[in-house]
């Protein structure tokens, strides 16, 4: 069973399997201990504005690295021999903000004006929380983390704008305080939560009905804790409607050679 | 006006004024930027157990320093020429756990078996929160911070035991998250909050009726945030009923030469 054994693969070996079409699935839980990234690949005409959007909104859009030049598909920042066209299990293509196709590689669609951005994802901080003994409800219940649109506006940059999307993990108060401490060490993967407690205060009308992902159980005495979410830049890109762009397919991330601990600022 | 000008005194100059009987009041706001300590002075027969109690319960009982030997009244850890018998504006004496007298110095009651403990106090972290632009309601409203008995048990040590007492400061969620980050840097002055949100979860029945201090306004959308409080060891000492012991009188702290920033672990 390839998938069962893959979690012990190095990031390099896993990327080779992906490149060869032998690993096609969700990267969650694979190459444990290494940073996985959200991908945004957009035309050069939009790239500087998107870079400014990331810098102005570091909690939802934590930029871990980017291609040095338009057209670059070898991303040395991400690790050994990373070819961004082939080393992610699945990609989503967009035209004018609308999804058009899900593809297993970018060899046929690559263009010389495409700029690659790698953004931090919650897998890294979830690993740090689990290592500390905290429970993460979406993992316990085996579902996708619930995500919600909020009324918290991002700082606009050029054609990029929109409200923040957040992920939610319910916790008892003492665990929430500990999670804030741990996540504060990792600003490159969304950092400390942006809100906790009453969902209505950030424009969430019904906590049992996430806009993305799955609902999870909130037990008596638990607080919903909200983190800025990587869906935020994806929606901002769709709203900006570039003629063409690419993201990873949900759950199919770029697995880098960067140890999670390298992202810790403390 | 001595009191009005005293805040610009150095800790040493303020202690000299106190020693000479020229400054007799509350030390809050005096010698800004320097650590002020709760005092516990107890007989040697109880001292080792109290030391273990502090070590087992560092959030309510953060030990900043102690006398090297029983009977020592010159406490060099606290600063230049600190005489613990004369350099605090007012002291509370206890016999068998009951208050007996409030006195301006300890010259007549000092004994060779008394051991001095200096414990961190919230003044230091309140200063760090204010410096970051956060509002502290008890300061805004010019009252004592509200304090509550909880159902959170301390770890017992010998004859010392009891539930934790907490102080409460209401804040919007984003400010509470920031306060957790800031206070996490200062474990020697109670550190991160121990709870936030529903007071009933830690055994507080009516948030508008503090057990000590004064009630403060909690606005719509604010969370009560609870910190471990230095009243905890005072109650534990009273409960242990040593034949004789001494604390500072509430609000009349030992002002040390230690800059608040020295307590930051990061």
């Amino acid at each position: 069973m390839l998938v069962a054994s893959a979690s012990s693969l190095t990031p390099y070996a896993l990327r080779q399997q992906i490149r060869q079409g032998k690993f096609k699935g969700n990267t969650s839980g694979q190459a444990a201990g290494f940073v996985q990234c959200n991908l945004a690949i957009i035309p050069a005409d939009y790239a500087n504005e998107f870079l400014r959007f990331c810098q102005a909104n570091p909690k939802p859009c934590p930029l871990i690295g980017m291609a040095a030049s338009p057209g670059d598909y070898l991303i040395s920042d991400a690790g050994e021999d990373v070819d961004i066209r082939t080393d992610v299990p699945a990609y989503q293509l967009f035209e004018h903000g609308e999804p058009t196709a899900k593809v297993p590689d970018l060899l046929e669609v690559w263009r010389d004006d495409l700029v690659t951005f790698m953004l931090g994802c919650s897998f890294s901080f979830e690993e740090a929380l689990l290592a500390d003994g905290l429970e993460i409800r979406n993992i316990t219940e085996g579902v996708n983390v619930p995500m919600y649109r909020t009324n918290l506006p991002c700082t606009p940059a050029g054609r990029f704008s929109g409200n923040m999307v957040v992920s939610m993990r319910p916790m008892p108060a003492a665990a929430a305080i500990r999670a804030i401490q741990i996540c504060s060490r990792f600003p490159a993967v969304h950092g400390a939560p942006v809100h906790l407690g009453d969902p209505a205060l950030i424009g969430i009308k019904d906590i049992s009905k996430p806009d993305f992902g799955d609902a999870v159980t909130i037990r008596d005495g638990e607080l919903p804790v909200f983190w800025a979410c990587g869906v935020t830049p994806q929606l901002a890109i769709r709203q900006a409607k570039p003629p063409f762009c690419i993201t990873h397919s949900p759950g199919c991330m770029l697995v880098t050679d960067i140890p999670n601990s390298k992202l810790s600022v403390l």
Side-chain angles (χ1 to χ4, degrees), chain A:
Chain A
M1 286 290 290
L2 178 60
V3 171
S5 65
S7 62
S8 60
L9 292 179
T10 65
Y12 174 80
L14 177 63
R15 288 195 304 270
Q16 291 293 316
Q17 297 252 358
I18 292 168
R19 186 182 295 188
Q20 295 159 19
K22 293 177 182 168
F23 183 94
K24 301 177 179 183
N26 197 301
T27 54
S28 174
Q30 304 299 322
F34 291 89
V35 175
Q36 300 197 16
C37 287
N38 294 302
L39 271 194
I41 304 176
I42 61 182
D45 174 38
Y46 286 77
N48 284 339
E49 290 173 22
F50 185 68
L51 178 55
R52 282 201 289 120
F53 185 74
C54 293
Q55 289 183 310
N57 300 283
K59 296 197 93 162
C61 314
L63 192 57
I64 288 189
M66 61 182 292
S69 306
D72 283 357
Y73 47 79
L74 300 176
I75 311 291
S76 58
D77 282 1
E80 183 184 357
D81 184 30
V82 173
D83 187 330
I84 209 69
R85 304 170 304 172
T86 55
D87 293 358
V88 168
Y91 303 82
Q92 180 67 53
L93 310 185
F94 295 86
E95 291 182 18
H96 302 287
E98 294 304 317
T100 52
K102 183 176 163 184
V103 296
D105 67 64
L106 304 177
L107 293 171
E108 292 181 12
V109 300
W110 191 258
R111 304 177 354 180
D112 283 347
D113 69 336
L114 291 176
V115 179
T116 296
F117 294 86
M118 304 188 300
L119 301 169
C121 108
S122 60
F123 291 171
S124 297
F125 78 70
E126 287 187 339
E127 183 174 285
L129 297 178
L130 289 171
D132 200 66
L134 299 182
E135 189 216 330
I136 299 180
R137 190 64 37 79
N138 49 292
I139 293 177
T140 306
E141 299 189 344
V143 297
N144 286 323
V145 71
M147 293 165 273
Y148 306 85
R149 296 174 187 270
T150 73
N151 61 11
L152 303 170
C154 292
T155 302
R159 289 162 282 188
F160 294 94
S161 64
N163 286 347
M164 196 185 296
V165 175
V166 294
S167 62
M168 188 280 288
R169 294 161 188 82
M171 297 185 177
I177 291 167
R178 184 65 183 142
I180 290 166
Q181 294 181 311
I182 293 169
C183 290
S184 294
R185 302 174 59 215
F186 293 96
V189 287
H190 303 305
V194 293
H195 182 63
L196 77 176
D198 186 356
L201 293 173
I202 57 170
I204 299 171
K205 293 202 176 93
D206 186 346
I207 198 72
S208 71
K209 300 209 171 93
D211 294 301
F212 312 95
D214 303 306
V216 297
T217 309
I218 303 178
R219 300 195 188 122
D220 279 354
E222 290 184 334
L223 291 160
V225 185
F226 298 94
W227 279 260
C229 173
V231 171
T232 311
Q234 293 179 21
L235 291 189
I237 291 170
R238 292 190 61 174
Q239 197 162 305
K241 300 191 193 322
F244 180 63
C245 75
I246 305 164
T247 69
H248 66 286
S249 180
C252 298
M253 319 293 280
L254 173 65
V255 179
T256 76
D257 290 351
I258 306 167
N260 281 327
S261 66
K262 284 282 183 201
L263 297 186
S264 167
V265 294
L266 299 175

